[in-house]
Amino acid sequence: MSRRTIRKLINGLALGLSGVATAIGLFFLGAILWTLIRNGLAGMSLQMFTAMTPPPGSAGGLLNAIYGSVVMTLIGILIGGPIGVLAGTYLAEYGRTARLSTLIRFVNDVLLSAPSIIVGLFVYELLVIRMGHFSAIAGAVALAIIAIPVTVRTTEDMLNLVPQGMKDASTAMGAYHWRTVMSVIYPAARSGIVTGLLLAVARISGETAPLLFTALNNQFWSSNLAAPIANLPVVIFQFALSPYPNWQQLAWSGALLITVSILILSISARFVVSSLNPGGRN
Amino acid sequence: MNTVAAIQPEHAAGQRLRERAFRGATFAAALLVLALLGGVALSLLLGAWPALAHFKFAFLTSEVWNPVTEKFGALAPIYGTLVTSFLALLLAIPVSFGIAIFLTELAPVWLKRPIGVAIELLAAVPSIIYGIWGLFVLSPVLQRHVQPWLIAWFGPLPFVGRLFQGPPYGIGVLTASFVLAIMVIPFISAVMRDVFETVPDVLKESGYGLGATTWEVIWQVVVPYTRNGMIGGVMLGLGRALGETMAVTFVIGNAHRIGSSLLAPGTTISAAIANEFAEAVGDLYTSSLIALGALLFLITFTVIAAARLMLLQLERKALSNV
């Protein structure tokens, strides 16, 4: 074999393997979704959305868990979202070149990839010990802390995409900077910021580890924010590891529900972005 | 001079006040980000203090974890965390590298976006889903088909054989590493794809101009150029693997022991916390678990910080080339 043939062979082999690697990645996505659909669909019924989590062996649904997850996710994003957007605004507009901003960006990146169970421990020390018991509000605060770095990052990136000319035009008309931010920059970057918030919601709605020792769980309906509250991820965790078939079935259905919601959120977030930059990725 | 302000002094003063208030609010929010990290570090340290003061250095070197006699040592979870993360990276790096190459150099334009999004969706799937999938789907497959084969082929070998002995439990260190690998693939491949795209076309074209094959351009131009960025991506994946909780908790078996076999059950720092924290009785037990959390924080902080610094370097390099 000539040297040229060998080089071509190696090239073909390497590129072929990279195709195989991609196939492996796609295979696992498909395998996970397939398992969820096959096991979860059987338990999908109206009862899932109307009945409470049952004791072992009797029929029931996931209503209290769905409610608890929605409430904590909403409160989490209502606390974390504004803080994240404001901090992102500082980094992009006021402190763009400040040395402190470099530090804040770095710390934010660290928080972005920090293990979520650590956040759970932090909120446990901060709130649960002081209140003396687990509570929905502690769970929501833990989720807010996870949402903040995601929002900071996307907000800053999106504000930086707003053309400098638009900002200058506003300043030239005599607007103070807060007015420019409110009336020019935020509207221009709106869909980007909304994307960031959607991604943050997607991220926190599946988080389990930080809820284990903040919100804990509740077998019954509770709308008291100062008391433990049921939530989908922790219910899935407990029911999946239980020996009762009806609990396991509910765990699969809950898992399907949560995954489908998150995938829809992530995909729709991408649509918002591509309507912002029709040319594709920037 | 400033006629608007002269005519409407109250209006201008109001504007200035609002400007100051808004600026102050953004600054406070930015400081809160700093305070969060500080708060996390401080609260973990305070919570861990009783255990660290009681066991001193032995906390790091002891394998014993006994809630009844209140003797706690972190060696088994530390070992489990490091081994599972290491194995996960070993499995994930080649696959992620392949995906990144496929997406940047090989895929036709119309295929790039859908495949890229699909891989990113793999990252959006919550970790608890990986957990139940790993427990109910992956570990039976490994137990029936993969592990007996590993035991038969590698078990009798000298040295390496010790890693593959004992009964095929299904759950254990190897299964946890496998699930972790699947979870970090999208993270590592996304970073690698992004850094590959920072390579100036001129460099690649020079390679092709000299008659290099696609693979030779990748291996001799793209990889050396993006080395720091690739390492940064791998370390981000490592940070993710070290701290991953739910997926591991389902499949590792939660045994506080250091087994020589990869097929045996073990535990990791995060799995131990997730399993035991809500049920921990007594201050020393709780404090020991928080001390585990503090250790995890220290390890991941170092890894993530190093990763970010390396990615930052590549960013500067890319900027200076524009």
Side-chain angles (χ1 to χ4, degrees):
Chain A
M1 269 196 292
S2 74
R3 199 171 146 70
R4 189 177 142 75
T5 330
I6 294 175
R7 285 172 56 206
K8 274 188 142 176
L9 266 179
I10 292 178
N11 184 49
L13 189 72
L15 298 185
L17 282 178
S18 84
V20 171
T22 311
I24 291 177
L26 295 177
F27 168 78
F28 283 120
L29 180 67
I32 289 170
L33 292 181
W34 167 243
T35 311
L36 285 178
I37 292 171
R38 206 191 49 191
N39 291 317
L41 217 50
M44 282 278 177
S45 64
L46 197 62
Q47 199 186 29
M48 201 174 107
F49 300 96
T50 56
M52 306 296 159
T53 46
S58 57
L62 292 167
L63 178 64
N64 48 342
I66 295 173
Y67 171 80
S69 274
V70 170
V71 164
M72 280 194 290
T73 306
L74 277 183
I75 300 179
I77 200 71
L78 283 178
I79 300 173
I83 294 176
V85 170
L86 282 175
T89 309
Y90 177 81
L91 292 178
E93 294 301 324
Y94 287 108
R96 188 189 285 246
T97 53
R99 191 170 285 177
L100 182 68
S101 300
T102 316
L103 177 68
I104 293 175
R105 279 187 200 108
F106 180 70
V107 166
N108 192 64
D109 280 348
V110 170
L111 284 175
L112 196 61
S113 2
S116 56
I117 193 161
I118 300 274
V119 174
L121 284 179
F122 172 56
V123 174
Y124 176 85
E125 295 263 304
L126 191 74
L127 290 177
V128 177
I129 288 188
R130 259 172 234 173
M131 292 171 76
H133 51 83
F134 301 101
S135 67
I137 196 71
V141 168
L143 295 182
I145 294 176
I146 292 166
I148 287 173
V150 184
T151 325
V152 172
R153 185 67 185 273
T154 46
T155 305
E156 192 199 353
D157 288 351
M158 291 304 153
L159 295 189
N160 281 335
L161 289 180
V162 177
Q164 187 62 34
M166 282 173 77
K167 303 178 192 175
D168 291 346
S170 171
T171 312
M173 288 168 76
Y176 276 87
H177 203 62
W178 77 271
R179 174 54 82 186
T180 305
V181 171
M182 288 291 177
S183 310
V184 176
I185 301 178
Y186 279 170
R190 191 176 53 211
S191 53
I193 296 174
V194 170
T195 303
L197 292 173
L198 285 178
L199 288 178
V201 170
R203 167 87 197 265
I204 62 178
S205 50
E207 281 291 351
T208 316
L211 296 179
L212 283 176
F213 22 86
T214 51
L216 199 65
N217 196 359
N218 193 333
Q219 178 100 52
F220 306 103
W221 174 271
S222 164
S223 55
N224 180 2
L225 290 184
I229 196 168
N231 56 87
L232 273 178
V234 176
V235 166
I236 295 172
F237 178 48
Q238 289 186 348
F239 281 18
L241 290 178
S242 77
Y244 315 112
N246 72 316
W247 275 20
Q248 287 189 1
Q249 179 58 56
L250 276 174
W252 280 113
S253 303
L256 177 63
L257 181 69
I258 213 167
T259 309
V260 168
S261 325
I262 288 172
L263 291 189
I264 288 176
L265 264 176
S266 319
I267 292 174
S268 53
R270 265 163 244 275
F271 269 106
V272 181
V273 169
S274 53
S275 70
L276 184 74
N277 319 311
R281 305 178 57 224
N282 291 326
Chain B
M1 294 284 281
N2 193 340
T3 49
V4 177
I7 296 165
Q8 297 170 307
E10 281 170 35
H11 179 70
Q15 287 284 315
R16 265 203 295 276
L17 193 69
R18 286 187 201 180
E19 172 68 25
R20 211 178 295 161
F22 184 71
R23 195 196 160 100
T26 62
F27 187 58
L31 284 186
L32 188 76
V33 173
L34 285 186
L36 274 181
L37 191 74
V40 169
L42 194 70
S43 76
L44 286 179
L45 207 62
L46 286 178
W49 189 248
L52 293 181
H54 187 267
F55 297 112
K56 306 217 169 53
F57 201 63
F59 186 72
L60 293 178
T61 53
S62 161
E63 195 195 325
V64 181
W65 187 271
N66 190 337
V68 179
T69 57
E70 297 217 304
K71 290 253 181 298
F72 300 105
L75 199 60
I78 294 175
Y79 171 84
T81 301
L82 297 180
V83 168
T84 50
S85 302
F86 174 76
L87 280 179
L89 283 188
L90 213 61
L91 295 168
I93 290 173
V95 178
S96 310
F97 182 68
I99 292 176
I101 289 177
F102 185 82
L103 286 177
T104 49
E105 311 289 338
L106 225 63
V109 179
W110 59 272
L111 210 60
K112 263 185 195 182
R113 202 165 147 76
I115 292 187
V117 169
I119 299 289
E120 283 166 28
L121 286 184
L122 201 55
V125 173
S127 57
I128 186 158
I129 305 297
Y130 282 97
I132 47 177
W133 181 78
L135 179 64
F136 290 106
V137 179
L138 185 66
S139 53
V141 171
L142 290 182
Q143 183 177 22
R144 255 175 256 141
H145 304 292
V146 180
Q147 292 182 346
W149 182 83
L150 284 174
I151 294 168
W153 282 92
F154 292 100
L157 295 181
F159 303 114
V160 199
R162 297 186 53 191
L163 296 174
F164 301 100
Q165 276 167 358
Y169 286 104
I171 54 174
V173 174
L174 187 72
T175 313
S177 314
F178 212 96
V179 175
L180 278 179
I182 302 171
M183 294 186 71
V184 298
I185 282 173
F187 286 88
I188 302 180
S189 56
V191 177
M192 281 190 177
R193 180 192 64 188
D194 291 348
V195 300
F196 284 175
E197 279 176 354
T198 66
V199 180
D201 285 336
V202 184
L203 281 186
K204 289 196 257 179
E205 282 156 11
S206 325
Y208 288 121
L210 289 170
T213 61
T214 310
W215 170 248
E216 284 162 353
V217 168
I218 292 166
W219 196 244
Q220 290 169 27
V221 177
V222 175
V223 168
Y225 185 87
T226 55
R227 189 181 294 120
N228 277 354
M230 285 171 57
I231 297 174
V234 168
M235 292 180 76
L236 274 191
L238 176 62
R240 175 100 191 159
L242 288 168
E244 178 45 48
T245 308
M246 298 320 294
V248 174
T249 307
F250 270 92
V251 294
I252 195 154
N254 303 304
H256 276 275
R257 57 201 268 305
I258 299 176
S260 64
S261 171
L262 296 178
L263 309 180
T267 191
T268 68
I269 294 178
S270 47
I273 301 174
N275 257 311
E276 300 172 36
F277 197 82
E279 282 133 35
V281 214
D283 290 342
L284 200 57
Y285 194 2
T286 312
S287 174
S288 300
L289 285 167
I290 296 178
L292 279 183
L295 273 177
L296 178 65
F297 180 72
L298 194 73
I299 299 172
T300 48
F301 180 85
T302 318
V303 170
I304 297 168
R308 289 293 171 188
L309 286 177
M310 291 184 129
L311 286 172
L312 218 62
Q313 269 179 0
L314 188 84
E315 234 167 74
R316 293 222 179 95
K317 191 160 142 193
L319 277 181
S320 64
N321 276 325
V322 172

